[in-house]
Amino acid sequence: MLVETLAFALVGLIVGAAALVSLPDHFPGGRALTAGTAVVAALLGGVIMHFTLDGAFPGVSIAVSAIVSGLLTSVLARPDLAEGRLPAHRHQPRRAGGERHPHRVGGAHRRHRHA
């Protein structure tokens, strides 16, 4: 188990370093946060898989630790804050004619007639 734990930590360091080298602008939280998250996620995913598989398939445990580490590290990514990117608008542009709320007439809600 000690060798696998070291392998999980190494996988986490590799995933964290790859994330920081390939997309440095996407991780504004800092290098320590990104690398730490990758290592802890790899250890957590690997240990859970080790006990789930009862230690029978160490290669699968290492692969799962890499996947878990990549997924949880990607949660920290903020592509909207990367340099050279404009922030995306979540709101729809105003409609032609200046009406913001087509269901309102004269400032009041339109009442629906019941049949």
Side-chain angles (χ1 to χ4, degrees):
M1 179 67 187
L2 179 65
V3 174
E4 285 184 10
T5 304
L6 292 174
F8 300 148
L10 182 64
V11 164
L13 283 174
I14 291 171
V15 169
L20 287 171
V21 168
S22 64
L23 300 168
D25 293 338
H26 286 69
F27 295 97
R31 294 179 185 268
L33 177 67
T34 304
T37 300
V39 170
V40 169
L43 287 169
L44 184 66
V47 168
I48 289 173
M49 278 309 293
H50 173 79
F51 287 116
T52 302
L53 297 175
D54 205 22
F57 302 104
V60 174
S61 297
I62 292 172
V64 169
S65 76
I67 292 170
V68 170
S69 179
L71 288 174
L72 288 179
T73 303
S74 70
V75 171
L76 299 175
R78 292 291 310 265
D80 57 333
L81 298 179
E83 290 182 22
R85 290 190 59 138
L86 294 174
H89 254 356
R90 294 185 303 166
H91 305 290
Q92 295 181 1
R94 288 187 141 180
R95 296 183 177 155
E99 278 190 46
R100 290 181 64 183
H101 301 285
H103 62 276
R104 292 185 181 175
V105 177
H109 288 288
R110 183 185 317 162
R111 296 181 188 252
H112 297 284
R113 293 184 185 173
H114 298 288

